[in-house]
C-alpha cells in the first residue's frame, strides 16, 4: 500500500453474502443486482456478492453481479477447498475487478471440533488454497476464521503463510462477537509487528455484533492498523448481525479529528441504501437505530427542540442531509406533469425504463387523487412496490373486503394468473386472513406464512401502508413487499409478490439441489 493510501479505509460490503445469512433474508437475483448497483453508486470498494459454490442460484448471482458492476471489486467467498476456489474463480471471471475470498478456521476449538485438523495441516491448507486462488486473480483475500480466539503465535504463522502464498488482504474476524475494542485493536498491532511481510498486505476487520461492539471493534481495528472494514447495510447478518456500514462510515467522517481516515463512500446515498435493503429483506430498521433509524434526527424534548431551532449543532453532530435524509415535502400533486415527476425520480436516485416509469406515474396520479400531502417516502414506497410486482405470473386486479367487529370477514378478489382473470370470494377470521385465503385458493398452493408485518410509510391516517410477507415452502423462504394507502390491499400485494418469487424458486430449486 503506497504511503498516500495510509489514511484510506476500504469498505468491503457483505450485505449480499453474510447479510443474506440472516434467517429469512434470502433475496432474488434481481434484488441482489439492485442492491449491488446502489452499493457501486455509493462508492463501496469491494462487494462480496455471494458464496459461489453454495448453490447454482448463488453462483448465478455472483456471476451476474460480476458482469454488471464496473466500478467496485466483485468478490466471492470460498472455503479452503480447491473445488470452492475454482467455482468462485469461474463466478467472478466476467468482473472488471474480481477478488477471491478464502478462509479457514485457526482457533484451537474450531480446528479440533469443526475441521478435525492438526495445526500443521491447517497451514498447508492455507498455502494450497491461497496459491490456487492466486492462479486465477491477483486480488486474493484470506480470513482466519475465529481469529480472536486463536493462539497468537499460530496466528502469526498463518498470516505469514497466507501472504507468502500471495494473499493481498488479510482479514482477522471476530467471528463470534466476543472481542472488546482494546484487545481487538491490539491484535492488529501485534500481528503487523510480528509478521515480517505484513507490509505486503492490507489488513481487514470483520466483526459480529453479539455484544453490540461490532462497530467499536472495527474502528479499534483501524486504529491498530487495519485499512479495510467488512460491514453490511443496516448491520444485518446472522445472529446479532455485522458491523453496520452506515455507522462505521459516519463515525469516521464525523470524528475525523481523532480518527483521521477517509472512505470513498458517498454518504448522501446511505438512507436510500438502508431503505432498499430493509424493503428487500423485510427487516425493519428499529426507530432508534443510529444514522438510519426514523428517530435518528428527531428531537422530542422541548430543551432539545429549542436548541436545534437556535443552532442545529447543539444536538445534531451531523446533518440529516449528509446521509440522504430529506424532510422536504414533495411539491407535487394531481396537476403535476410527467417532467416534474421525472425530475423527482432523478432526485431520489431512480432510473426506470419507459414502461415502469409510465406505471409509476399512473399510480402516483391515483395516489395524488386520494392523499392530500405526498412525501418523498411515498414515492420511494410506490416505486419499490412497482419494481417488486412488475412482470409477474400473479397480479391483483381488484379487491373488496367486508369485515365486522365479531371477527368474521369476506374478501372478493380478482387476480390475473398467467394472463387469465380469476375471481374468488372467501371468508376468514379478519380481512387480511380472508384475502390470504382467497389468494391461496386462486394460485392453488398454500405455503407457510412465516411473517406478516405492516408499517406506515409516513404520518397521518391517510398514510400508505407498507406490508412485508415472508413465505416458506419445503425449505425455500421468500419475502414479498406491497405498498398501498389501503392496508389490506398492501397486504394482498405483498403476499402475491412473495408467491411470485416462490414460483421462480420452485423452477430453479431442482438445479440448486445438485450443487
Amino acid at each position: 500500500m503506497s504511503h498516500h493510501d495510509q489514511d484510506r479505509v476500504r469498505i468491503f460490503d457483505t450485505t449480499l453474502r453474510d447479510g443474506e445469512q440472516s434467517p429469512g433474508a434470502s433475496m432474488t437475483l434481481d434484488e441482489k443486482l439492485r442492491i449491488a448497483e446502489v452499493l457501486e453508486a455509493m462508492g463501496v470498494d469491494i462487494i462480496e456478492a455471494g458464496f459461489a459454490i453454495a448453490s447454482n442460484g448463488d453462483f448465478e448471482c455472483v456471476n451476474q453481479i460480476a458482469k454488471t458492476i464496473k466500478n467496485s471489486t466483485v468478490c466471492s467467498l470460498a472455503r479452503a477447498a480447491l473445488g470452492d476456489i475454482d467455482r468462485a474463480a469461474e463466478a467472478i471471471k466476467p468482473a472488471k475487478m474480481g477478488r477471491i475470498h478464502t478462509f479457514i478456521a485457526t482457533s484451537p476449538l474450531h480446528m479440533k471440533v469443526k475441521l478435525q485438523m492438526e495445526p500443521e495441516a491447517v497451514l498447508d491448507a492455507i498455502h494450497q488454497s491461497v496459491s490456487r486462488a492466486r492462479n486465477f486473480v491477483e486480488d486474493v483475500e484470506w480470513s482466519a476464521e475465529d481469529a480472536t480466539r486463536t493462539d497468537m503465535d499460530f496466528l502469526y504463522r498463518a498470516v505469514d503463510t497466507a501472504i507468502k502464498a500471495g494473499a493481498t488482504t488479510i482479514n482477522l474476524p471476530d467471528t463470534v462477537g466476543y472481542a472488546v475494542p482494546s484487545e481487538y485493536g491490539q491484535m492488529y498491532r501485534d500481528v503487523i509487528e510480528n509478521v515480517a511481510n505484513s507490509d505486503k498486505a492490507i489488513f481487514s476487520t470483520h466483526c459480529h455484533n453479539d455484544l453490540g461492539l461490532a462497530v467499536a471493534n472495527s474502528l479499534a481495528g483501524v486504529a491498530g492498523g487495519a485499512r479495510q472494514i467488512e460491514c453490511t447495510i443496516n448491520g444485518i447478518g446472522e445472529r446479532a448481525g455485522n458491523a453496520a456500514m452506515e455507522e462505521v462510515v459516519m463515525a469516521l467522517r464525523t470524528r475525523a479529528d481523532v480518527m483521521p481516515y477517509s472512505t470513498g463512500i458517498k454518504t448522501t446515498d446511505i438512507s436510500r441504501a438502508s431503505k432498499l435493503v430493509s424493503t428487500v429483506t423485510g427487516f425493519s430498521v428499529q426507530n432508534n437505530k443510529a444514522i438510519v433509524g426514523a428517530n435518528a434526527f428527531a428531537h422530542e424534548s422541548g430543551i432539545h427542540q429549542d436548541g436545534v431551532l437556535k443552532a442545529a449543532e447543539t444536538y445534531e453532530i451531523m446533518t440529516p442531509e449528509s446521509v440522504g435524509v430529506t424532510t422536504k415535502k414533495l411539491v407535487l400533486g394531481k396537476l403535476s406533469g410527467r417532467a416534474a415527476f421525472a425530475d423527482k425520480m432523478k432526485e431520489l436516485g431512480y432510473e426506470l425504463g419507459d414502461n415502469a416509469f409510465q406505471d409509476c406515474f399512473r399510480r402516483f396520479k391515483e395516489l395524488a387523487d386520494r392523499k392530500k400531502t405526498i412525501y418523498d417516502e411515498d414515492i420511494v414506497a410506490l416505486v419499490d412496490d412497482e419494481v417488486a410486482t412488475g412482470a409477474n405470473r400473479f397480479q391483483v386486479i381488484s379487491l373488496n373486503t367486508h369485515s365486522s367487529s365479531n371477527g368474521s370477514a369476506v374478501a372478493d378478489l380478482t387476480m390475473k394468473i398467467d394472463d387469465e382473470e380469476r375471481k374468488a370470494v372467501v371468508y376468514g377470521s379478519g380481512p387480511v386472513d380472508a384475502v390470504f385465503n382467497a389468494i391461496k385458493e386462486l394460485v392453488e398452493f398454500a405455503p407457510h406464512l412465516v411473517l406478516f408485518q405492516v408499517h406506515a410509510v409516513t404520518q397521518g391516517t391517510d398514510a400508505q401502508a407498507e406490508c412485508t410477507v415472508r413465505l416458506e415452502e419445503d425449505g425455500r423462504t421468500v419475502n414479498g413487499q406491497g405498498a398501498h394507502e389501503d392496508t389490506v390491499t398492501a397486504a394482498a400485494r405483498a403476499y402475491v409478490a412473495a408467491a411470485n418469487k416462490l414460483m421462480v424458486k420452485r423452477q430453479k430449486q431442482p438445479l440448486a439441489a445438485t450443487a
Side-chain angles (χ1 to χ4, degrees):
M1 184 160 55
S2 62
H3 183 71
H4 74 275
D5 246 345
Q6 276 298 325
D7 64 350
R8 172 77 156 81
V9 173
R10 285 151 186 75
I11 296 298
F12 176 113
D13 185 276
T14 185
T15 302
L16 300 177
R17 200 278 302 168
D18 203 330
E20 203 200 17
Q21 287 178 214
S22 311
S26 63
M27 310 172 206
T28 64
L29 172 59
D30 284 346
E31 288 167 343
K32 284 191 171 186
L33 280 168
R34 284 170 64 202
I35 291 172
E37 285 169 347
V38 166
L39 295 175
E40 177 185 38
M42 72 191 293
V44 166
D45 298 285
I46 303 101
I47 299 170
E48 188 161 53
F51 195 173
I53 205 163
S55 70
N56 284 353
D58 240 16
F59 176 90
E60 185 187 357
C61 284
V62 176
N63 194 243
Q64 285 297 326
I65 290 168
K67 288 174 183 172
T68 306
I69 298 301
K70 298 291 181 276
N71 299 319
S72 304
T73 297
V74 177
C75 173
S76 175
L77 189 67
R79 291 166 302 192
L82 304 187
D84 276 46
I85 288 160
D86 292 355
R87 191 75 168 144
E90 192 183 340
I92 63 164
K93 200 172 182 180
K96 186 177 176 187
M97 297 177 286
R99 172 181 294 190
I100 296 173
H101 177 195
T102 184
F103 70 96
I104 196 167
T106 53
S107 67
L109 180 68
H110 277 234
M111 288 192 292
K112 183 180 177 183
V113 176
K114 192 171 85 169
L115 299 179
Q116 296 175 338
M117 289 170 72
E118 292 297 319
E120 294 302 322
V122 169
L123 292 175
D124 188 50
I126 294 168
H127 175 77
Q128 284 195 39
S129 56
V130 173
S131 301
R132 179 77 156 221
R134 194 60 199 257
N135 285 342
F136 295 108
V137 287
E138 289 187 8
D139 189 350
V140 176
E141 176 169 341
W142 176 74
S143 285
E145 188 182 3
D146 208 22
T148 49
R149 295 191 296 180
T150 296
D151 171 77
M152 287 305 289
D153 286 333
F154 183 70
L155 188 59
Y156 302 153
R157 291 179 67 197
V159 170
D160 179 69
T161 301
I163 295 173
K164 279 179 179 166
T168 49
T169 301
I170 299 292
N171 181 37
L172 305 178
D174 183 24
T175 304
V176 293
Y178 182 70
V180 298
S182 55
E183 63 190 6
Y184 194 65
Q186 190 60 46
M187 177 178 66
Y188 286 89
R189 293 184 191 93
D190 291 344
V191 170
I192 290 167
E193 188 180 323
N194 287 283
V195 175
N197 52 6
S198 62
D199 61 325
K200 293 183 169 61
I202 291 170
F203 282 80
S204 177
T205 70
H206 182 113
C207 299
H208 282 267
N209 204 37
D210 298 72
L211 294 174
L213 295 170
V215 169
N217 283 334
S218 300
L219 297 173
V222 170
R227 289 297 179 268
Q228 174 179 291
I229 295 176
E230 306 195 0
C231 47
T232 61
I233 300 291
N234 298 338
I236 67 169
E238 55 188 330
R239 303 189 317 279
N242 288 267
M245 189 232 273
E246 59 279 1
E247 295 178 28
V248 164
V249 167
M250 291 309 292
L252 289 173
R253 177 177 154 155
T254 306
R255 293 308 311 273
D257 56 327
V258 290
M259 295 181 287
Y261 314 107
S262 64
T263 70
I265 298 297
K266 184 181 162 195
T267 63
T268 49
D269 283 357
I270 283 175
S271 182
R272 181 183 166 214
S274 168
K275 174 78 175 84
L276 177 61
V277 170
S278 175
T279 300
V280 162
T281 58
F283 289 176
S284 298
V285 175
Q286 69 191 62
N287 285 353
N288 63 328
K289 163 82 171 63
I291 317 298
V292 292
N295 294 347
F297 296 98
H299 299 277
E300 190 77 26
S301 108
I303 295 171
H304 285 204
Q305 286 178 342
D306 181 60
V308 171
L309 289 172
K310 286 175 179 167
E313 62 271 18
T314 50
Y315 287 99
E316 280 186 359
I317 58 171
M318 54 197 152
T319 65
E321 290 77 17
S322 68
V323 295
V325 173
T326 58
T327 50
K328 295 180 296 184
K329 286 179 182 175
L330 176 57
V331 192
L332 288 181
K334 57 186 177 182
L335 300 178
S336 299
R338 277 180 175 75
F341 186 70
D343 282 346
K344 175 51 72 174
M345 296 290 282
K346 193 173 179 183
E347 181 190 318
L348 293 172
Y350 288 103
E351 290 179 33
L352 298 180
D354 283 348
N355 289 346
F357 176 83
Q358 297 301 341
D359 286 342
C360 283
F361 182 68
R362 174 185 54 76
R363 286 188 62 192
F364 160 71
K365 295 291 263 189
E366 290 170 359
L367 185 63
D369 278 335
R370 296 188 295 261
K371 194 173 185 293
K372 282 187 295 189
T373 309
I374 294 185
Y375 299 87
D376 286 2
E377 292 91 338
D378 285 311
I379 299 297
V380 170
L382 189 147
V383 176
D384 285 344
D385 184 49
E386 190 62 45
V387 171
T389 56
N392 283 317
R393 283 190 64 186
F394 310 135
Q395 289 182 319
V396 175
I397 301 298
S398 68
L399 171 64
N400 289 297
T401 57
H402 176 76
S403 58
S404 63
S405 58
N406 67 12
S408 64
V410 62
D412 181 346
L413 174 69
T414 303
M415 287 180 65
K416 186 184 277 188
I417 299 177
D418 295 331
D419 297 324
E420 178 194 336
E421 283 199 12
R422 295 190 203 168
K423 180 182 168 81
V425 179
V426 180
Y427 286 85
S429 59
V432 172
D433 184 52
V435 168
F436 287 2
N437 289 341
I439 295 169
K440 285 186 279 191
E441 184 174 303
L442 290 176
V443 300
E444 297 176 344
F445 67 99
H448 174 56
L449 179 65
V450 179
L451 171 79
F452 170 60
Q453 65 185 23
V454 186
H455 81 271
V457 173
T458 57
Q459 67 265 48
T461 54
D462 64 350
Q464 284 190 94
E466 195 165 58
C467 293
T468 300
V469 165
R470 184 173 300 146
L471 302 178
E472 187 270 332
E473 180 189 63
D474 298 333
R476 297 178 284 249
T477 306
V478 292
N479 292 308
Q481 286 77 35
H484 199 273
E485 64 276 18
D486 176 67
T487 304
V488 181
T489 301
R493 293 177 71 94
Y495 194 106
V496 168
N500 277 307
K501 288 185 192 176
L502 207 49
M503 294 307 288
V504 173
K505 277 210 168 187
R506 272 180 166 189
Q507 292 157 12
K508 290 186 176 179
Q509 198 71 10
L511 270 175
T514 62

